[in-house]
Amino acid sequence: MTRPHPRWSIAARLFALQVVVIVLIAALATVWTIRSARTDADSSAARACLALATGIADNPFVLDALATTDPSARLQPYALDLMRDTSTDFVTIMSPDRTRLTHPDAAEIGRPFVGTIEPALAGRSFTETYTGTLGPSVRAVVPVLGADGEVVALVAAGVTVSAIADTLEQRLTLVLAAALATVLIGALASWLLSRYLRRVTRDRGPEELGRLFDYYEGVLHSVREGLLLVDGRGRLTLCNDQAAELLGLPPGGVDRPVPLESLDLPDSLARLLVGGRVAVDEVHVTDERVLVVNQQRTGTPSRGGAGRVVPARTLGTVTTLRDRTELTDLADEVETMRTLADALRSQTHEFSNRLHTIVSLIELGRGDEALRFAATGLDVDQRLADSLVSSVAEPALAALLLGKSAQARERGVDLVIDVDPALGTVDVEPRDLVTVLGNLLDNALDAAAGTVRITARREQSEGGELGGAVVFTVADDGPGLGDVEQAFHRGFSTKEPGSTGRGVGLALVRQAVSRAGGGITVTTGTDGTAFSVRFSDAATADAAATIDGGGGRR
């Protein structure tokens, strides 16, 4: 089976086209130069012949010689000397009836002149190209005027065309050499350009590049991951539809390079894109999303050989974005359920031990003591559960507080839950409540020296009635925060390094509060830290964070 002939690459096509164009231009320029040189040579010869003939006609020696009985005897040597001195092929002095008085060939003297003389007989000098006894020649014919102004003789001076052609051969050699040098230099420049194009196009043809472009366009619009291309000058050169949606950029991507500074990007993500460092599965929190970011540098491959190494040239970075918002929210809910399950499991063991103790007291006949023992342990948990069920309308929030209460007892921390009986329904998504309070309680339990307090109350409206915003406050008696604003940035944590998931909680809290239209107020000092989260019933206000105090933690 015969293999199909491979199509030419862009570099090969451009090289061939440039060589053909250069050769054609050189050929046309050569022909034009030769024709122009021939025309210039004819004109120059005609002017020289006219000047020579005019000088002869004005020479008194010629009039004196014409007045003698044998003019040729004096004029022939004179004409031969002029032809030799001026490199003219012929100088013919003739009578008005065309009879030659001089000629390069002495045998032609006395014979009639071959050519046009009528304008000269009328007293006008002229030039022409005519074929005479010496062949084609460029000649000038000038009248010789007597004292009375009558034409007494004619002078014809000329150069043969073959002599002009001999002169042009020297110039033609230079013209052809220049044309050949032009072709060679142009071909070399085309070859160098074709090498560059072959390198940047990977020796592909235009049809193949067109197909690749169509494939890449399809991939960019169909892939479910965000893709960003940033060049070495810190400009966004490509952005697919998913990336534009994740980052809140205008749909349709970018049609020209855009500086990253002009885009409204989250601070941490903007620093990553501008810095160009390598990133693997980094978590970046925006106002509305949790993004997993990967970034790699891209550039030309390194080359080496003969003991030398040419390092790769960095062209920019390729960044991919994955949306992990829903997964993070689900993980928070699962963590809350796991906390509650662990608390229930611990209580199961505790209740089992209490039940064995109660049974043993009954078997010993101490029923009153068994009743008091049973009531003592259950009363606290029952009161807490009854209080939460009666005051908290959201089951997920009640479950979260019960679970964190059990978790606090396991850690030896006193969790005080103060819920306004008139709290009622909170106009916030359950997942946002779980994210905000769950992360704040986890941080407080980690930081607390002994006590954590959470309060939930509903503010009064302007008329003094309940129904205003809901305020949750989580306070601990730990050492406080140092840089409060920095604590809300992704990656900041005061916990032991190496643990997964650190440095994201407060960033997710700010995101959830912003999404719900609430605001955060932080008060911190050496005696502890208090986070107050305020949710408006309308839940439409922009997020706001008011920071007070100083200290250091988390």
Side-chain angles (χ1 to χ4, degrees):
M1 183 178 65
T2 59
R3 297 180 58 186
H5 183 71
R7 295 184 177 182
W8 285 20
S9 65
I10 292 180
R13 296 184 188 190
L14 184 61
F15 174 73
L17 177 62
Q18 287 179 325
V19 170
V20 171
V21 170
I22 291 172
V23 171
L24 289 177
I25 292 176
L28 292 175
T30 302
V31 172
W32 179 83
T33 302
I34 293 175
R35 291 177 62 88
S36 177
R38 180 59 183 266
T39 301
D40 291 343
D42 290 345
S43 300
S44 177
R47 289 192 300 270
C49 292
L50 181 61
L52 177 61
T54 300
I56 295 172
D58 293 340
N59 193 341
F61 170 77
V62 176
L63 289 176
D64 294 341
L66 290 173
T68 64
T69 57
D70 188 10
S72 296
R74 298 182 64 182
L75 294 176
Q76 176 69 3
Y78 171 67
L80 293 177
D81 290 341
L82 287 176
M83 286 188 292
R84 183 177 57 254
D85 294 341
T86 60
S87 299
T88 306
D89 290 329
F90 68 90
V91 173
T92 300
I93 303 174
M94 71 194 82
S95 61
D97 62 355
R98 292 180 178 267
T99 301
R100 297 188 183 105
L101 301 178
T102 64
H103 195 274
D105 185 2
E108 295 292 331
I109 297 176
R111 294 181 179 180
F113 175 77
V114 180
T116 304
I117 63 171
E118 286 75 11
L121 291 175
R124 300 193 310 273
S125 301
F126 70 95
T127 61
E128 68 172 351
T129 301
Y130 196 88
T131 302
T133 57
L134 298 179
S137 62
V138 176
R139 62 181 66 178
V141 182
V142 178
V144 179
L145 303 179
D148 55 359
E150 295 294 329
V151 177
V152 297
L154 303 174
V155 178
V159 180
T160 61
V161 173
S162 61
I164 297 176
D166 293 339
T167 304
L168 287 176
E169 286 183 358
Q170 299 177 355
R171 299 177 61 181
L172 180 61
T173 303
L174 295 176
V175 170
L176 293 178
L180 180 60
T182 301
V183 171
L184 293 177
I185 294 174
L188 177 61
S190 300
W191 178 72
L192 294 175
L193 179 60
S194 67
R195 284 193 61 188
Y196 168 75
L197 289 176
R198 185 176 293 111
R199 184 171 67 252
V200 299
T201 62
R202 303 296 191 269
D203 205 21
R204 291 185 172 91
E207 296 85 1
E208 188 177 1
L209 289 177
R211 288 194 301 269
L212 287 175
F213 180 79
D214 293 337
Y215 293 153
Y216 291 158
E217 279 288 306
V219 170
L220 288 176
H221 290 290
S222 62
V223 69
R224 299 309 302 165
E225 286 191 358
L227 178 64
L228 301 173
L229 298 185
V230 179
D231 63 13
R233 298 169 59 182
R235 301 178 302 174
L236 180 64
T237 59
L238 185 143
C239 171
N240 69 346
D241 298 340
Q242 185 68 8
E245 179 181 354
L246 294 177
L247 298 178
L249 301 177
V254 294
D255 55 358
R256 58 183 177 82
V258 179
L260 292 173
E261 292 80 2
S262 63
L263 300 176
D264 186 15
L265 298 175
D267 293 339
S268 61
L269 186 58
R271 288 194 298 270
L272 174 63
L273 295 176
V274 172
R277 62 179 174 82
V278 176
V280 179
D281 290 338
E282 285 191 4
V283 178
H284 290 258
V285 180
T286 68
D287 290 340
E288 297 181 355
R289 301 179 185 275
V290 178
L291 302 178
V292 178
V293 181
N294 288 274
Q295 180 168 277
Q296 291 291 334
R297 297 188 183 95
T298 182
T300 57
S302 59
R303 304 186 305 277
R308 65 184 183 91
V309 176
V310 180
R313 181 167 62 93
T314 300
L315 300 179
T317 58
V318 178
T319 307
T320 59
L321 310 171
R322 295 197 310 273
D323 189 3
R324 211 180 71 174
T325 305
E326 295 183 359
L327 182 60
T328 301
D329 294 339
L330 181 61
D332 290 340
E333 295 182 9
V334 171
E335 180 64 24
T336 301
M337 295 301 104
R338 182 182 294 113
T339 301
L340 182 58
D342 291 342
L344 294 176
R345 189 179 300 111
S346 300
Q347 289 180 357
T348 300
H349 290 287
E350 184 178 355
F351 291 158
S352 177
N353 293 330
R354 290 184 180 182
L355 183 59
H356 285 299
T357 303
I358 292 171
V359 171
S360 299
L361 289 173
I362 294 174
E363 290 178 349
L364 294 174
R366 299 184 178 182
D368 294 337
E369 295 180 9
L371 182 60
R372 286 193 301 271
F373 180 80
T376 300
L378 295 176
D379 186 55
V380 176
D381 293 335
Q382 188 61 44
R383 285 202 308 269
L384 176 60
D386 292 342
S387 173
L388 292 176
V389 170
S390 62
S391 58
V392 178
E394 177 56 52
L397 178 57
L400 173 68
L401 296 178
L402 283 173
K404 293 301 179 183
S405 176
Q407 185 179 2
R409 285 199 301 270
E410 291 181 358
R411 296 189 179 187
V413 176
D414 184 15
L415 177 60
V416 179
I417 301 176
D418 183 8
V419 179
D420 187 352
L423 181 64
T425 303
V426 182
D427 190 15
V428 178
E429 287 290 334
R431 66 171 188 173
D432 289 336
L433 274 178
V434 170
T435 297
V436 172
L437 297 181
N439 281 286
L440 291 180
L441 284 171
D442 285 339
N443 288 340
L445 291 175
D446 290 335
T451 303
V452 173
R453 176 180 293 273
I454 176 172
T455 61
R457 60 184 177 85
R458 182 175 294 276
E459 294 180 342
Q460 292 182 349
S461 61
E462 294 181 357
E465 299 178 356
L466 295 177
V470 176
V471 179
F472 293 93
T473 302
V474 178
D476 63 69
D477 58 353
L481 284 171
D483 189 343
V484 177
E485 181 62 31
Q486 184 65 25
F488 283 94
H489 291 172
R490 184 200 62 81
F492 178 84
S493 178
T494 60
K495 303 182 181 75
E496 291 296 328
S499 301
T500 59
R502 296 303 190 188
V504 182
L506 288 181
L508 293 177
V509 168
R510 170 173 281 183
Q511 180 192 81
V513 171
S514 174
R515 185 167 54 241
I520 307 174
T521 301
V522 182
T523 303
T524 185
T526 57
D527 56 347
T529 302
F531 288 82
S532 294
V533 181
R534 184 179 185 275
F535 293 113
S536 173
D537 278 349
T540 57
D542 293 334
T546 304
I547 309 300
D548 299 322
R553 190 166 185 83
R554 291 185 194 62

